[in-house]
Amino acid sequence: MLKAGIVGLPNVGKSTLFNAITKKNILAANYPFATIDPNVGVVTVPDTRLDYLSELYLPERTIYTTYEFTDIAGLVKGASTGEGLGNKFLSHIREVDAIVEVVRCFENSDIIHVEGNVDPIRDIEIINLELAMSDLEQIQNRINKIGKKASMTKDKQELLEINTLKKCEEALLQNIPLRRVEFDKDELLILKPFCLITLKPIIYMANVNEDDAILGHNEYTDRVSDYASKENASVVVVCAKMESELSEMSDEDKDTFLKELGIANSGLDKLIFATYNLLGLQTFFTSGKDECRAWTFKKGMKAPECAGIIHSDFQRGFIKAEVMSFEDLKQYGSELKVKEAGKMRLEGKEYIMQDGDICYFRFNV
């Protein structure tokens, strides 16, 4: 399951957004540290292709892929050294695939700003510094532990580890997040067990008022976009208050409401699409009378690996994959017609799975 950690300063709309995302009414109070335990919420990933398959096959069950959000307590300046509720929360972020950083891009005199005024770039830099300091502490602990031995060693692997760690230390001391540093494959393998926060891909979620959400941006979000472009991060503009209202509606009412406002997708949908894009994720389907199901895979994966997502036996005993594209199925209207048109393919072990493939795996264990 895809996991994202939501971070941000107190009172930027993080918990309101999280409630809206998961329809869980957790404590969203107008004061810092209202969120103490990491709250986890799971949402299904919307996919109109799966809706179509479900209508076509009328299966007993339809299973969407899911996305897990962890709401991390509001960080403040000095969190990595124990300010506020400190480092305890940073450990929760180490487990996620991506970071969603909520940034306040709206004026509202009723909602206190922990730093006194609205300045999204300052806020981003406070959070990013705390995340960098947390990584730095981890890296330096490891350097201190292996440093002496590694400097005397002739062991290639140990030397590579100490050099990689020092490369990280150098960047973090200059407050450069590790995702901006170039690492080769071997260096990344060394860093993998550390689960470094600043190495994770990041999406900035700009929380705006309702008018700016309809417009799609404001002067604050433009500054955030400018900042994000320097580290290949995406920005999703969202109105937490509007998302909160949308979460109370039925799917039909939600669609009508968004159409009336001239908005194509809700903020949550935009966030999900942005995360998929950022992490290079795609979807393949399995369909039949029993079940229609969406499966998430990493772009570039071959057919046997994708079969393994369903069950390890499928990968171990993989023979062939019977594949048709969703587009072909939609165009011809039935599986039989896809076959008659010669568009159903048998693919072997080297086949690279494509987004929207509908598969039947043949295997023998």
Side-chain angles (χ1 to χ4, degrees):
M1 189 193 313
L2 180 61
K3 292 182 181 181
I6 303 182
V7 298
L9 290 173
N11 299 340
V12 294
K14 201 163 55 67
S15 294
T16 307
L17 203 62
F18 179 80
N19 293 351
I21 282 170
T22 58
K23 296 188 186 174
K24 274 189 184 175
N25 202 15
I26 56 162
L27 180 60
N30 181 20
Y31 56 89
F33 315 126
T35 324
I36 293 182
D37 285 304
N39 291 280
V40 176
V42 177
V43 295
T44 55
V45 175
D47 198 320
T48 51
R49 296 171 299 181
L50 190 57
D51 300 338
Y52 178 88
L53 292 176
S54 191
E55 281 169 25
L56 187 68
Y57 286 89
L58 303 171
E60 283 172 32
R61 55 189 180 273
T62 300
I63 303 175
Y64 293 79
T65 57
T66 50
Y67 189 147
E68 183 180 295
F69 288 96
T70 303
D71 182 29
I72 314 287
L75 292 169
V76 290
K77 200 182 278 182
S80 57
T81 54
E83 277 299 314
L85 292 162
N87 223 339
K88 176 171 162 245
F89 297 108
L90 294 174
S91 62
H92 298 304
I93 317 178
R94 297 202 180 279
E95 310 308 314
V96 302
D97 301 304
I99 292 169
V100 176
E101 189 169 318
V102 182
V103 190
R104 178 166 165 177
C105 291
F106 65 91
E107 298 280 358
N108 183 338
S109 54
D110 295 337
I111 301 175
I112 43 179
H113 191 295
V114 71
E115 287 293 320
N117 67 328
V118 178
D119 181 348
I121 303 305
R122 176 206 55 213
D123 295 357
I124 287 173
E125 287 180 341
I126 289 173
I127 294 280
N128 288 0
L129 178 64
E130 294 312 319
L131 302 182
M133 297 312 278
S134 176
D135 278 353
L136 184 62
E137 186 187 356
Q138 219 189 344
I139 294 281
Q140 288 179 333
N141 286 346
R142 181 65 181 162
I143 289 175
N144 293 338
K145 198 172 170 186
I146 65 162
K148 265 207 177 82
K149 183 175 169 251
S151 61
M152 289 150 65
T153 186
K154 297 284 176 275
D155 183 87
K156 259 185 171 163
Q157 199 54 25
E158 284 177 355
L159 274 172
L160 181 63
E161 180 174 0
I162 194 78
N163 289 336
T164 306
L165 293 174
K166 284 190 167 160
K167 182 174 171 179
C168 292
E169 183 184 37
E170 206 176 299
L172 292 166
L173 283 169
Q174 294 172 58
N175 194 18
I176 297 169
L178 297 178
R179 63 182 159 270
R180 289 195 196 177
V181 180
E182 269 190 46
F183 295 105
D184 64 29
K185 221 164 56 185
D186 295 334
E187 290 171 326
L188 286 172
L189 271 176
I190 280 168
L191 296 177
K192 199 176 178 188
F194 294 98
C195 299
L196 297 162
I197 304 172
T198 66
L199 198 51
K200 296 180 188 295
I202 194 163
I203 290 176
Y204 294 105
M205 206 157 191
N207 186 14
V208 298
N209 62 31
E210 284 163 324
D211 292 343
D212 291 338
I214 295 165
L215 199 64
H217 70 103
N218 64 23
E219 57 166 318
Y220 294 129
T221 67
D222 291 345
R223 282 161 62 193
V224 174
S225 296
D226 192 45
Y227 183 93
S229 66
K230 294 181 180 70
E231 54 179 352
N232 293 324
S234 10
V235 178
V236 174
V237 175
V238 60
C239 171
K241 194 165 161 275
M242 191 192 288
E243 293 300 314
S244 191
E245 288 160 12
L246 286 170
S247 71
E248 302 300 321
M249 298 180 186
S250 69
D251 288 348
E252 223 168 284
D253 290 348
K254 186 177 121 177
D255 289 345
T256 310
F257 179 70
L258 288 172
K259 267 197 190 106
E260 280 170 5
L261 291 177
I263 298 174
N265 293 298
S266 73
L268 172 59
D269 291 353
K270 282 192 268 188
L271 174 62
I272 291 172
F273 303 146
T275 314
Y276 264 61
N277 198 13
L278 184 71
L279 296 174
L281 300 176
Q282 296 183 321
T283 308
F284 75 88
F285 303 97
T286 49
S287 55
K289 285 280 170 230
D290 293 341
E291 178 184 283
C292 284
R293 185 164 182 169
W295 304 86
T296 304
F297 69 99
K298 250 194 149 47
K299 199 174 178 173
M301 277 172 94
K302 291 183 178 174
E305 289 174 277
C306 288
I309 293 171
I310 300 175
H311 199 291
S312 54
D313 283 354
F314 284 25
Q315 184 167 359
R316 214 160 34 115
F318 181 89
I319 301 169
K320 292 271 182 206
E322 207 172 307
V323 184
M324 61 178 160
S325 77
F326 173 78
E327 292 309 323
D328 285 340
L329 180 64
K330 200 172 174 187
Q331 186 188 339
Y332 293 102
S334 78
E335 215 172 288
L336 184 66
K337 285 183 177 153
V338 171
K339 279 181 181 164
E340 284 170 358
K343 295 284 186 181
M344 180 78 83
R345 315 182 304 274
L346 266 186
E347 301 289 359
K349 290 181 178 175
E350 291 306 306
Y351 176 66
I352 293 170
M353 196 68 87
Q354 300 300 310
D355 187 50
D357 277 348
I358 302 165
C359 308
Y360 301 95
F361 293 106
R362 297 184 188 174
F363 70 105
N364 184 18
V365 174

